Amino acid sequence: MTTGVIPGEQPPEQRPGGPRDPELPEQRGEPRGRRDLDADDRTRSSVITARAAASFEPLGRSVATARSFVRDTLQGWGFGDIVDDAVVLTSELVTNAVVHAGTAADVLCLRSDEAVRIEVSDRYPEREVPLQSAAIDMGSPDREGGRGLQLCAALASRWGVDYAPTHKNVWFQLDVPERPVGTRTAGPLLPDELLPLTDGRVRVAVVQIDRGGAITAWNEDGEDLFGYSAEHVLGKPLTDLAAWPHTPGTGTGVAEALRLSRWEGSYGIRGAHGRVIPVYASHLRVRDTGGEPSTVCLLVRDHERAVLQTPTRHPAVGDGASAADGSNTDPFEVFIGSPAPDDLDGLLQRTVERARDMLDADAAFLLLATDDETELEVRASTGLPSTRQRFARVPVEAGPGRYGSARMPAVHDDLSAAAGAVPLLGGTGMRSVVTVPLKVEGRLTGSLGVAAEAPGRYSNEEALRLQFAADRIALAVESARLGELERLRRGSLSFLVEASDLLAGTLDRDQTLALMAQMTVPTLATWCAVYTIADQASEPYLSYVLHEDEELIDGIKSLLSKIAPPDPVPTPGARVWSAPGEAAHQAALRSSMRSLSLGDSQHRIGTIIGPTLATASAVGGETVVLPLVARNRVIGMLTLGRPSDDHFRQEILELAEDLSRRAALALDNARLYSERTASSQALQRSLLPPGLPVIDGVEVEVIYRAAGEGNEVGGDFYDLFPIRDGAYGFAIGDVCGTGPEAAAVTGLARHALRLLAREGYDGPAVLERLNSAILDEGARSRFLTLLYGELRPQEDGSAELKVVCAGHPLPLRLRQDGTVVPAAEPQPLLGVMDDLELYEQTVTLDPGDVLLCVTDGVTERREGTRMLGDDGLADVLTTCTGLTAGAVAARIMRAVERFASDAPSDDMAILAMRVPEVLQD
């Protein structure tokens, strides 16, 4: 970088490749619309009294160096009033040159009696530069180019663009405000009637306090102002007298102010009469001759604050001053730029960039307060390492890493001497920092800070200027934050409603686990893992892992399987789990160390290290665990994770906690349903025959359908079992009703039939004893229709059947000629009367004959007013001549299903037995 200052130099001649004379209209690149306005200005001759120039390499750090150059130059010329605007404009133009255009930048500062002109040249003349006129929109300030010109139009009195074959020159001019001769920072001239008014002698109370805050000195003016004599207050803490305005539930803050090196502001002193006297105070910490720190407090009545208050900075051109047309510019728009970002993140990022440029800082940051003002959350930063995660939180009042200077302006000359004063800057290399609060109606809403790598860079003057900026944007930031919170809450409600609907729509455990993971990724987290706990004696089991990048799922699953699961703590809320990040870091380190000793090809090394490093990056951020608690028991844990250098927002954690409660109940319901279904199915399977025996000379086929979802057994039942050599018992029955109650009687009937038949009882005796057993059930008994018989294959190829039909639909016999006839006569059903007189009938099935037995769910199949009935069943059976037993049963079932479109509402059982035809030699 080269610089030069030439006092009293005349305007330079035109140089090849250098800036051209701004007074030559044919060379000026001013935008249309300002030529007429500046016609008189162009005729006025301005003598250049000083010149400074510098060149900057195309590096990012050159922007900060250029800001420092312009600031030092203008302050050296005594133009502090326009320094801020000049630095902001120079920062934008140099950024366009060295960052966006990628060329070196030349900065030239010219001083005259009426104005300061600054020119920024780059080596990219082809770069598109939008021009402004009354009818042209400059576009968004967030676009890559053109934002510097927007600011020139807003802040500068004149500006323009010059083009040459090898470079482009953008210049702006800031008029110097007229000031009385011999003054540099004096206040404005005021008429006598506008001077501050006092009621008698101005009294300034001088109070000195020691390290502990106890009063050690109290002058006479203090006694006059507050009514306390020195003997009455010496040794007492000043905080006993101070009435500090603060938010309920938080610390008073006056003790914090007394520990700052310098502070001024308003609070109250409780006088001897008991009333609070508003005062304006200025505090300064000093050391006595023994090196002990103490604080000197100067206090005046609040309406006489002009005696102590630091004078406000004189507004510079563009800093709220009138524009060319006489209209006032909004101070917020001047600081942020126009148009202002319409989203919170954009507004915060623009704020930290403007604050950094305004104080020529190396870094800036902005934190927003939580609703209870107990914590501050990092929301925007510039110039800080990537380790300063967004949404990280620091406590305000107490605890490790507390942000003690959040509620009032504070200047730290050297952070190395006050480690931990600003937790966000730990390990960043920043030495000096100034922080100011953002307040709305006296409530802390955030904190804005700027920092520099050099110590001692900032004073109370910079703190005051930064506070002015914070006051400008505090209300806009709070409004945008509330709007964001409202959108988040609405989105959260919609998300939870949808999540509840999805979780309530399934009772399958595996599907519930998948839904839990899919709802959290990527909406709430980058990856998640679900641990389940079978019972209180079981260890957590890794049941499901999901990442937004499917290729990383196996790596995360492998990593988590090698570390101990999180403790199943029932305490609600999210807690940080550091084990995955530490394990990933160690795995990546081991892989890197192994690769160094392999001596293999680069491809081989990349193949080994790549997946491990990808997994480490995926789980390297914040990981939290939320318990899944249902019915006062921890049934699992929901683990959410972010990639490296990323934090969870508190709103996201609260939403995840709400989701975890719903998911836990859904998962437990799925578990209970699965257990109950498994138990029910096991019991139901015990009521069905284990299998059908193979009977020589007789084909047998059974079709069974239980009504109701999840039921395997209902009120209908069947059985076919061997009784003795050559004899088989068969039964088909229907218990009144469906469901578990009917299934209980089904089990009683089936097992009783087998037991009694194998004891040698004939058909009537078996059914009479079964009738007694059903009646013995008392109120739980149900009436039962039953077809029971004994089957004996004969040597001639026929089959003999002895049948008892107790109230059941009659069995139908299909002969080879296609005729269908009943094979038994109806008799009383079981479970109604004590004394039954039953008899059995003998039926002989010839080769080719079929015996069809069904329950009333088949014959009573309905479609509106129509019913299949016995005749309809017989008609279907006549079409089954020559079919096997399996084909007969299948055709009957198809006919029943097609008879009506609705699902069957009753249990159905079909038993078909056929005697095959004898093959002739």
Side-chain angles (χ1 to χ4, degrees), residues 591-592 594-596 598-611:
S591 297
S592 301
R594 284 198 300 268
S595 68
L596 295 176
L598 282 176
D600 208 339
S601 65
Q602 187 67 28
H603 174 73
R604 170 66 174 169
I605 295 175
T607 303
I608 296 174
I609 300 180

Side-chain angles (χ1 to χ4, degrees), residues 653-838:
L653 293 180
E654 292 172 356
L655 181 58
E657 183 179 358
D658 208 342
L659 175 64
S660 69
R661 289 193 292 267
R662 289 168 165 79
L665 187 59
L667 184 62
D668 199 48
N669 288 339
R671 177 188 63 83
L672 293 176
Y673 177 79
S674 299
E675 293 177 354
R676 188 168 299 176
T677 300
S679 300
S680 175
Q681 291 174 347
L683 292 174
Q684 292 183 60
R685 283 192 292 270
S686 69
L687 302 178
L688 295 174
L692 296 177
V694 178
I695 303 176
D696 293 335
V698 179
E699 298 174 359
V700 179
E701 183 64 29
V702 173
I703 296 179
Y704 181 82
R705 299 284 174 82
E709 183 179 358
N711 291 330
E712 295 189 16
V713 177
D716 292 5
F717 69 96
Y718 69 92
D719 203 0
L720 180 63
F721 55 91
I723 300 176
R724 62 188 69 89
D725 293 340
Y728 296 86
F730 67 91
I732 184 169
D734 184 3
V735 179
C736 174
T738 60
E741 294 82 2
V745 179
T746 295
L748 171 64
R750 194 176 71 80
H751 292 291
L753 287 176
R754 288 194 171 210
L755 180 63
L756 294 173
R758 287 171 177 171
E759 289 294 323
Y761 293 101
D762 59 8
V766 169
L767 267 62
E768 289 170 1
R769 285 165 173 75
L770 176 59
N771 181 65
S772 299
I774 294 173
L775 292 175
D776 289 344
E777 290 294 308
R780 296 181 298 175
S781 66
R782 290 172 175 262
F783 63 82
L784 167 68
T785 67
L786 181 64
L787 172 65
Y788 173 76
E790 293 184 3
L791 169 67
R792 291 177 180 272
Q794 303 297 314
E795 293 182 358
D796 60 359
S798 63
E800 181 184 84
L801 292 83
K802 295 181 179 181
V803 182
V804 180
C805 187
H808 199 77
L810 299 179
L812 299 179
R813 178 182 180 182
L814 172 65
R815 293 191 176 97
Q816 280 187 305
D817 58 5
T819 59
V820 176
V821 295
E825 297 177 352
Q827 299 185 57
L829 73 167
L830 308 180
V832 178
M833 299 178 294
D834 288 333
D835 298 328
L836 288 180
E837 294 183 2
L838 304 175

Side-chain angles (χ1 to χ4, degrees), residues 261-286:
S261 58
R262 182 184 292 275
W263 182 87
E264 65 179 53
S266 299
Y267 54 91
I269 294 292
R270 191 170 290 103
H273 45 61
R275 294 191 300 271
V276 174
I277 302 171
V279 298
Y280 191 85
S282 176
H283 298 170
L284 176 65
R285 294 198 79 190
V286 297

Side-chain angles (χ1 to χ4, degrees), residues 515-603:
L515 284 175
M516 289 171 58
Q518 293 166 7
M519 284 185 292
T520 57
V521 175
T523 305
L524 304 181
T526 306
W527 65 272
C528 84
V530 183
Y531 290 84
T532 56
I533 303 175
D535 52 60
Q536 294 181 352
S538 301
E539 291 294 325
Y541 174 74
L542 182 62
S543 299
Y544 203 93
V545 175
L546 184 65
H547 191 281
E548 60 184 9
D549 184 355
E550 294 183 356
E551 296 181 355
L552 297 176
I553 294 178
D554 292 338
I556 297 176
K557 186 181 299 183
S558 175
L559 176 70
L560 294 179
S561 63
K562 296 176 182 178
I563 62 177
D567 296 330
V569 179
T571 305
R575 68 182 192 276
V576 177
W577 185 32
S578 59
E582 295 173 355
H585 175 74
Q586 293 297 325
L589 183 61
R590 287 194 299 269
S591 297
S592 301
M593 296 297 292
R594 284 198 300 268
S595 68
L596 295 176
S597 60
L598 282 176
D600 208 339
S601 65
Q602 187 67 28
H603 174 73

